[in-house]
């Protein structure tokens, strides 16, 4: 654990220095090696240097799995950074370095055992993302996204700190283990603030207002990492927090979650239906998906982690493909509106195929990872007697089909005068993600075996 | 060798091959695949003995142990006829596409192959989870078939269809998950028998049946859920439409056949309302079909009428009704595929869609007229064609159960005869109109398609006894009536 954090930090710094000295060709290999080394050090259960952390951070089964999913997603996105190579002089190294810090923050976030380290993780991740959101300096939308993200982010931090402060005042400790035994009504007050801050980070309705603008303005590759890295890290940390404290959380906290889920599923879908920009559509779709994942928070007795982890994998593999294809379409047609996707199937069938499969998976079409993920979540919530909620979720899934298939319709509409070209290297990576989506849909028990 | 697994694998492998092969080879690959599966099916059929084993050639895979879901396929008395229909109709559809000319790309045949795969898997599913997965999966290739190769207004039509059907499918998913979570944790849902065995309390059964009913009623479609049908049919590519009308519409009826016996009490309680819907559909479909000018829409509404009758028949929960519904699925599938191919021949030659724009084809092209007539007779249920026996059994079952419902349902035969014969008379007789003068003779492959259809219709009509008997065995097994 400690080793992974050290590797990522040093590699981030190294990349920044390499960037200064103009060695642009080694940046990407260094980053890939660093993340692979971090993955290796996490998956081998070494405890080297861990005692320096003084129980602030600890890797348990769940956080290790979430971190691994996060890092694999980050690793999958990394080769696409090569597309920035031809832009400015220092930009690639800046982006890569900051990206590694973001990964570091997200791992810290999902392994925190102390409210201080949790807050540190949130801040490291967020500040990196504020910078990346504004990466496209010449675009006014990107600047707006960065500013908007920064302001809501600071607001979120304030709320989170207020909640943490309240918890500290009640229990006299910042260690999650020590506070998880304290059950006073004022504690729940603190938790409500803490949870609301997470709802803001995850962009659950009604705390979602910033997400579409930020997603749209941010350069698409960073939107992809926002939609996967930030979302999975935030939901993962949120989930761990709920799981850890679930003995002392009052009964009515479930209703807080149910309200969030209902608002997210219903309003998120309604707003998504009206979108014309595919990036905004994906932003809303991500909001709805996180509403779905939140149904995993409602369990009374036993927490079954693998349903949530499976959903992460299904969501990450599909939305990474989605955003990367959007990036290519946007780069070549200059816009991410539905019309600019028209005729993609004629000019680049491979790209159209992977995008369709990822959309089908996000929509929950059969024999894809998304379908399985939805089945697992629904079956969990029915077993825990939230049948009516499952009903709403199903109806919302039908509504969501509407906008996902709107994009597919656009792809397969006949007009096409755009010559698309994406190098086979990038397409190969996309095929790999798609194969993950299909394999997880066809043989889910293999993946479940790994996650359990 | 897991036989029914192979039946699914053949079209799957060939469909992947069609996708990657070029324009030239894909049609031949599709033909090999569909004919191959037909022969493989006949091989299985000859080895199948319904008296000694109910489920044969099983394929079982413990798919997701965590949620107690398994994949299980096999052939039994209840799915044998629809499986046969599937192999035949897909063959004919591939042939019809090849007749149409080679403007179809590799992906078309690939998608047809995928549809074939999923249909085989759906009809041979041996437990509710497998049934459900392929119920939904079939939609995806069909969606792309219509989206890529349909008519000018295909987008709206296929969208409507998709949203309707997905909604039904997901309701069914909820119902199955609910059922599964209410079973004892150690019990598994590996076969239909498991499903029939563990009955939930009646209170839940009402909800579950409602979910299943909506899913199947949309898919079939039954009367108030049918609004997607005519639009979709008129937009679909016609070989696709053969599969759509002959096979996809049977998925709903087949669902009723499978699930009704689980909800015996509910079906009895709701019998009047459900059959009322079905019978309204029968009469409504017939009347609207009478009003249609567009040939394809005429076929769509006539199909609605016949499907309503089958659904009503399954609701009687009698031996006769079961046999009738199962045979009628086969007969209607053949007849409707034939009618669509007739329409295809007429439309392809003249580019006209309206009944009124044809006349006097019989004088110009007598052989075509004869084929058309035999198919049409089967569609209206004349004795000695295969359309007769199924509908006869269905009406018999309904009359025995509730006399007046049977009476109204029987009207479908009269109405059917009326609009069908009017269609025939308008297009075939009279003085040939200007666009008929150049009406080309049937090509050799068109001849083959018609010959196959006509022969099947006559053979099944003259010797129905063996085939209709399968329904009786299915009925027995579903009701746990011991063999004697």
């Amino acid at each position: 654990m400690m080793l992974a954090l050290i590797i990522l930090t040093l590699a981030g710094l190294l990349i920044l220095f390499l960037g200064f000295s103009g060695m642009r060709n080694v940046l990407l290999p260094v980053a890939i090696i660093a993340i692979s080394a971090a993955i290796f050090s996490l998956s081998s259960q070494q405890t080297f240097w861990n005692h320096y952390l003084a129980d602030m951070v600890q890797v348990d089964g769940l956080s290790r799995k979430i971190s691994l999913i996060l890092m694999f997603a980050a690793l999958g996105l990394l080769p696409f950074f090569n597309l920035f190579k031809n832009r400015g002089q220092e930009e690639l190294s800046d982006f890569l370095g900051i990206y590694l810090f973001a990964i570091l923050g997200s791992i810290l976030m999902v392994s925190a055992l102390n409210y201080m380290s949790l807050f540190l993780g949130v801040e490291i991740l967020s500040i990196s993302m504020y910078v990346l959101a504004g990466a496209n300096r010449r675009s006014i939308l990107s600047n707006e996204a960065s500013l908007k993200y920064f302001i809501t982010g600071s607001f979120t931090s304030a709320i989170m700190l207020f909640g943490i402060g309240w918890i500290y005042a009640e229990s006299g400790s910042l260690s999650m283990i020590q506070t998880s035994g304290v059950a006073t009504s004022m504690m729940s007050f603190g938790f409500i603030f803490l949870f609301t801050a997470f709802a803001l980070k995850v962009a659950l309705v009604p705390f979602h207002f910033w997400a579409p603008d930020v997603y749209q303005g941010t350069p698409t590759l960073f939107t992809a990492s926002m939609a996967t890295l930030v979302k999975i890290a935030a939901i993962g940390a949120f989930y761990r927090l709920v799981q850890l404290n679930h003995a002392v959380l009052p009964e009515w906290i479930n209703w807080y979650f149910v309200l969030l889920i209902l608002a997210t599923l219903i309003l998120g879908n309604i707003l998504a239906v009206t979108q014309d920009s595919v990036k905004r559509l994906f932003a809303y779709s991500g909001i709805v998906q996180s509403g779905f994942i939140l149904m995993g928070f409602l369990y009374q007795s036993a927490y079954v982690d693998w349903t949530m982890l499976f959903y992460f994998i299904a969501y990450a593999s599909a939305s990474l493909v989605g955003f990367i294809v959007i990036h290519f379409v946007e780069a070549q047609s200059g816009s991410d509106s539905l019309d600019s996707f028209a005729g993609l199937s004629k000019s680049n069938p491979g790209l159209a195929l992977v995008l369709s499969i990822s959309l089908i998976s996000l929509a929950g079409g059969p024999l894809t990872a998304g379908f399985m993920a939805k089945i697992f979540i629904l079956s969990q919530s029915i077993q825990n007697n939230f049948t009516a909620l499952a009903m709403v979720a199903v109806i919302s899934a039908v509504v969501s089909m509407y906008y996902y298939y709107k994009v597919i319709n656009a792809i397969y509409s006949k007009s096409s005068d755009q010559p698309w070209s994406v190098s086979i290297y990038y397409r190969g990576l996309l095929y790999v993600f798609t194969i993950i989506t299909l394999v997880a849909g066809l043989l889910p028990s293999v993946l479940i075996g790994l996650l359990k | 060798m897991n036989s029914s697994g192979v039946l699914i694998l053949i079209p799957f492998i060939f469909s992947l091959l069609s996708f990657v092969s070029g324009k030239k080879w894909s049609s031949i690959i599709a033909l090999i695949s569909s004919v191959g599966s037909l022969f493989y099916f006949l091989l299985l059929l000859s080895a199948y003995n319904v008296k000694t084993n109910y489920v044969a050639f099983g394929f079982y895979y413990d798919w997701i142990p965590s949620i107690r879901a398994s994949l299980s396929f096999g052939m039994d008395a209840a799915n044998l006829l629809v499986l046969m229909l599937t192999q035949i109709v897909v063959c004919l559809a591939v042939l019809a596409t090849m007749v149409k000319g080679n403007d179809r790309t590799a992906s078309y045949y690939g998608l047809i192959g995928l549809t074939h795969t999923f249909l085989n898997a759906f009809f041979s599913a041996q437990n509710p989870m497998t049934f459900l997965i392929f119920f939904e999966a079939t939609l995806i290739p069909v969606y792309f078939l219509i989206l890529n190769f349909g008519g000018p207004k295909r987008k709206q039509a296929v969208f409507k269809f998709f949203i309707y059907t997905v909604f039904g499918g997901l309701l069914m998913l909820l119902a199955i998950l609910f059922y599964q979570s209410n079973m004892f944790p150690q019990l598994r849902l590996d076969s239909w028998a498991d499903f029939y065995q563990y009955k939930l309390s009646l209170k839940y059964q009402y909800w579950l049946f409602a979910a299943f009913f909506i899913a199947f009623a949309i898919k079939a479609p039954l009367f108030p859920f049918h609004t997607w049908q005519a639009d979709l049919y008129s937009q679909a590519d016609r070989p696709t439409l053969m599969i759509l009308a002959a096979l996809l519409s049977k998925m709903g009826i087949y669902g009723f056949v499978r699930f009704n016996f689980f909800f015996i009490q509910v079906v009895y309680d709701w019998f009047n309302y459900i059959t009322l819907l079905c019978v309204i559909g029968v009469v409504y479909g017939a009347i609207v079909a009478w009003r249609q000018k567009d040939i394809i829409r005429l076929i769509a509404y006539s199909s609605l009428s016949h499907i309503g009758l089958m659904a009503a028949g399954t609701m009687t929960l009698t031996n006769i009704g079961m046999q009738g519904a199962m045979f009628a699925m086969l007969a209607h599938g053949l007849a409707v595929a034939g009618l669509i191919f007739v329409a295809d021949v007429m439309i392809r030659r003249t580019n006209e869609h309206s009944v009124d724009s044809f006349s006097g084809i019989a004088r110009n092209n007598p052989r075509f007229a004869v084929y058309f007539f035999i198919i049409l007779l089967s569609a209206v249920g004349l004795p000695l064609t295969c359309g007769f026996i199924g509908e006869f059994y269905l009406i018999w079952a309904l009359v025995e159960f509730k006399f007046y419902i049977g009476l109204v349902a029987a009207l479908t035969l009269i109405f059917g005869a009326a609009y069908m014969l009017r269609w025939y008379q308008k297009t075939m007789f009279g003085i040939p109109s200007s666009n008929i003068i150049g009406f080309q003779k049937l090509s050799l492959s068109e001849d083959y398609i018609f010959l196959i259809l006509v022969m099947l219709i006559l053979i099944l009509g003259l010797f129905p006894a063996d085939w209709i008997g399968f329904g009786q065995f299915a009925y027995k097994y579903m009701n746990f009536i011991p063999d004697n």
Side-chain angles (χ1 to χ4, degrees), chain A residues 166-360:
Chain A
W166 207 283
I167 289 168
Y168 181 67
E170 272 300 309
S171 63
S173 166
L174 279 174
S175 155
M176 289 186 192
I177 303 287
Q178 282 169 26
T179 57
S180 68
V182 184
T184 64
S185 55
M186 282 297 119
M187 272 294 269
S188 358
F189 191 71
F191 277 124
I192 283 293
F193 274 91
L194 198 55
F195 291 171
T196 304
F198 273 108
L200 262 160
K201 261 275 151 304
V202 180
L204 296 165
V205 178
F207 309 110
H208 67 287
F209 42 84
W210 57 272
D213 291 340
V214 171
Y215 276 40
Q216 195 185 19
T218 307
T220 313
L221 284 180
F222 299 132
T223 319
S225 55
M226 229 178 245
T228 50
L229 220 60
V230 178
K231 199 154 251 177
I232 292 175
I235 295 177
F238 193 0
Y239 179 70
R240 261 170 58 94
L241 212 56
V242 174
Q243 198 188 29
L244 203 66
N245 292 302
H246 104 279
V248 295
L249 287 175
E251 194 70 6
W252 52 262
I253 207 89
N254 265 343
W255 290 106
Y256 174 75
F257 289 135
V258 168
L259 279 180
L260 275 182
I261 294 168
L262 285 178
T264 305
L265 290 180
I266 296 169
L267 278 172
N269 269 321
I270 291 173
L271 292 168
V273 164
T274 57
Q275 298 306 316
D276 190 47
S277 145
V278 178
K279 242 161 123 180
R280 285 182 84 87
L281 197 152
F282 263 72
Y284 280 113
S285 114
I287 291 170
V288 175
Q289 299 279 352
S290 36
F292 238 104
I293 304 182
L294 206 66
M295 287 170 72
F297 285 41
L298 288 170
Y299 308 142
Q300 304 286 345
S301 48
Y303 280 82
V304 187
D305 297 333
W306 62 262
T307 50
M308 173 123 352
L309 296 173
F310 195 96
Y311 208 111
F312 284 155
I313 292 175
Y315 170 71
S317 60
S319 56
L320 275 181
V321 171
F323 278 112
I324 293 167
V325 177
I326 292 174
H327 169 88
F328 286 121
V329 171
E330 207 182 11
Q332 302 199 11
S333 70
S335 137
D336 66 328
S337 72
L338 265 177
D339 296 334
S340 52
F341 282 75
L344 186 64
S345 70
K346 282 276 154 0
S347 42
N348 200 332
L351 225 51
L353 181 73
V354 291
L355 183 56
S356 314
I357 290 176
S358 78
L359 285 165
I360 290 173

Side-chain angles (χ1 to χ4, degrees), chain B residues 221-372:
Chain B
L222 294 187
F223 164 61
F225 306 98
H226 69 281
T227 52
W228 56 267
Q229 192 194 20
D231 291 341
L232 185 77
Y233 279 23
S234 58
Q235 293 307 317
D237 185 51
R238 280 179 302 277
T240 315
L241 182 56
M242 287 167 81
I243 292 177
L244 208 63
L247 299 173
L248 257 70
S249 67
K250 302 300 172 296
M251 291 170 77
I253 303 296
Y254 178 71
F256 284 130
V257 168
R258 278 289 183 204
F259 283 90
N260 273 355
F261 283 101
F262 178 72
F263 301 103
I264 291 177
Q265 189 55 47
V266 189
V267 176
Y268 276 139
D269 288 355
W270 288 356
F271 181 81
N272 283 327
Y273 311 109
I274 296 174
T275 41
L276 185 68
L277 283 187
C278 299
V279 169
I280 289 175
V282 168
V283 177
Y284 169 85
I287 292 172
V288 180
W290 173 264
R291 300 288 307 150
Q292 292 305 313
K293 290 274 176 278
D294 186 309
I295 305 176
I296 299 288
R297 290 184 92 90
L298 192 155
I299 296 172
Y301 282 108
S302 96
S303 184
L304 175 66
S305 175
H306 288 282
I307 292 280
L309 184 62
M310 286 176 226
T314 60
M315 296 296 165
T316 60
L317 296 180
T318 56
N319 191 355
I320 307 288
M322 180 71 132
Q323 297 187 35
M326 283 170 51
F327 195 79
M329 279 198 267
L330 175 64
H332 177 255
L334 290 176
V336 86
L339 287 178
I340 290 165
F341 193 63
V342 166
D344 184 42
V345 168
M346 287 159 72
I347 294 170
R348 207 150 21 86
R349 280 171 169 60
T350 57
N351 261 330
E352 295 282 354
H353 289 258
S354 161
V355 176
D356 293 333
S357 52
F358 300 94
S359 74
I361 298 176
R363 193 176 299 180
N364 184 301
N365 204 337
R367 207 165 55 213
F368 176 57
V370 172
Y371 292 142
F372 183 12

Side-chain angles (χ1 to χ4, degrees), chain B residues 23 97 100-105 108-109 149 237:
Chain B
K23 212 170 179 172
T97 318
K100 204 173 169 185
N102 40 15
D103 59 332
R104 289 292 174 247
T105 50
Y108 182 86
Y109 293 103
F149 305 102
D237 185 51

Side-chain angles (χ1 to χ4, degrees), chain A residues 32-190:
Chain A
I32 289 175
I33 290 167
I35 296 182
S36 313
I39 287 175
F40 181 73
S41 76
L42 256 187
S43 50
S44 67
Q45 313 200 342
Q46 48 80 21
T47 51
F48 200 45
W49 286 343
N50 268 6
H51 59 278
Y52 286 109
L53 293 168
D55 290 338
M56 298 268 280
V57 178
Q58 193 192 53
V59 172
D60 52 23
L62 179 63
S63 74
R64 170 176 291 117
K65 284 167 198 158
I66 301 176
S67 314
L68 285 176
I69 293 174
L70 280 170
M71 284 200 282
F72 275 116
L75 193 62
L77 196 59
L78 213 49
F80 294 96
F81 276 72
N82 229 358
L83 293 165
F84 288 115
K85 213 172 166 186
N86 302 325
R87 271 181 45 173
Q89 193 57 41
E90 285 99 28
E91 281 182 340
L92 179 63
S93 66
D94 296 352
F95 294 161
L96 268 179
I98 293 170
Y99 189 62
L100 287 185
F101 295 141
I103 300 167
L104 167 78
S106 61
I107 296 174
L108 198 57
M109 213 169 144
V110 295
S111 346
L113 263 190
N114 185 300
Y115 287 106
M116 216 57 241
S117 49
L118 175 74
F119 185 71
L120 270 179
V122 170
E123 284 303 293
I124 295 174
L125 176 61
S126 306
I127 292 172
S128 316
M129 291 320 290
Y130 303 151
V131 178
L132 292 182
N136 199 350
R137 276 174 309 195
R138 288 161 211 86
S139 152
I140 193 141
L141 276 178
S142 182
N143 287 322
E144 185 204 332
S146 179
L147 186 64
K148 215 166 207 169
Y149 200 22
F150 173 66
I151 290 170
T152 44
S154 335
F155 185 59
T156 311
S157 305
I159 292 176
M160 184 176 282
L161 276 181
F162 186 67
I164 291 174
W166 207 283
I167 289 168
Y168 181 67
E170 272 300 309
S171 63
S173 166
L174 279 174
S175 155
M176 289 186 192
I177 303 287
Q178 282 169 26
T179 57
S180 68
V182 184
T184 64
S185 55
M186 282 297 119
M187 272 294 269
S188 358
F189 191 71

Side-chain angles (χ1 to χ4, degrees), chain A residues 372 402 405 409 412 442 445, chain B residues 63 143 147-148 159 162 181:
Chain A
M372 285 301 145
Y402 175 78
Y405 281 82
N409 278 356
Y412 284 94
L442 290 168
S445 46
Chain B
W63 192 34
Y143 181 85
L147 188 64
N148 283 339
F159 224 64
F162 188 81
S181 71

Side-chain angles (χ1 to χ4, degrees), chain B residues 453-466:
Chain B
L453 271 167
V454 164
M455 267 162 55
L456 282 170
I457 284 171
L458 290 179
I459 292 172
L460 288 173
L462 291 170
F463 310 103
D466 290 342

